[in-house]
Amino acid sequence: SGMVGKSGRRMKAITGKIISLRFLLMTAVGVSAFFSGVFFALPFYQKDFAHVLFTNASVMAEIAGTPQARMQGLSKRSSLPALGGMLFVLDQSSSPAIWMKDMEFPLDILWIANGTVVDMKERVSPPAPGTPTDQLALYHPVASADFVLELNAGFAGKHRIRIGDRVSIELRGHVYAYA
């Protein structure tokens, strides 16, 4: 063993401060990495929207573009924004039936083909709670459609939307129907 003078004690103090700073820095990096990892590991849901333009109104409609999204629709939701809707993008022109399974509020339903409202059902009420699936009403259009648009009940009447009206649908940077 030897003697430690003032410079030795100063070195130990400096070394202790370096170790403390290194510990704090490593802790800060570790904590930020943990929270960054937690943040980036969370599921990221980005909804896709379309701008739907009528002569007297426009809405931002959430896209139901997959079979699962089309089956779910607006079921189990309590409301829609006043100028909102859900746009069902069909894989091919068809006559899709719409049901109100697990709906909690009434809707206006519009079927659209080639930029024109080809059919509509206004103020469709949700079924009574507990209605068996096989007893749900099905709403069929009178003509084939490329899109189905669900809106808050009364929207079509308030904005004077009628069968035969022209519609423009801006979806993912493209105009799919021409007004």
Side-chain angles (χ1 to χ4, degrees), residues 3-74:
M3 291 184 78
V4 177
K6 283 186 176 181
S7 63
R9 279 186 286 228
R10 195 174 296 143
M11 283 300 285
K12 282 187 176 182
I14 292 171
T15 304
K17 287 181 181 179
I18 291 173
I19 291 172
S20 295
L21 287 173
R22 190 180 296 167
F23 174 76
L24 286 173
L25 182 62
M26 289 175 55
T27 302
V29 168
V31 167
S32 67
F34 171 77
F35 283 110
S36 294
V38 167
F39 176 76
F40 289 112
L42 292 174
F44 182 71
Y45 297 102
Q46 180 179 1
K47 293 183 179 179
D48 201 3
F49 287 87
H51 191 195
V52 182
L53 297 105
F54 299 93
T55 303
N56 299 317
S58 68
V59 295
M60 288 302 292
E62 183 180 335
I63 303 298
T66 65
Q68 297 85 352
R70 289 191 293 267
M71 183 66 78
Q72 178 69 30
L74 293 168

Side-chain angles (χ1 to χ4, degrees), residues 157-176:
K158 178 180 179 180
H159 297 283
R160 299 181 306 280
I161 298 169
R162 300 286 173 247
I163 295 171
D165 284 359
R166 301 295 291 160
V167 183
S168 178
I169 300 172
E170 297 174 8
L171 172 64
R172 299 180 191 115
H174 301 294
V175 178
Y176 284 88

Side-chain angles (χ1 to χ4, degrees), residues 94-157:
S94 62
S95 299
I98 300 293
W99 64 358
M100 298 288 283
K101 184 177 190 304
D102 297 324
M103 283 298 300
E104 297 180 12
F105 57 98
L107 296 172
D108 287 349
I109 305 169
L110 286 68
W111 287 267
I112 301 167
N114 300 315
T116 303
V117 176
V118 294
D119 199 4
M120 59 192 291
K121 304 283 189 246
E122 295 184 75
R123 298 185 182 275
V124 177
S125 296
T131 301
T133 302
D134 64 346
Q135 293 180 17
L136 291 171
L138 295 176
Y139 301 92
H140 297 272
V142 296
S144 291
D146 305 310
F147 301 96
V148 179
L149 179 63
E150 293 181 344
L151 302 165
N152 283 308
F155 186 92

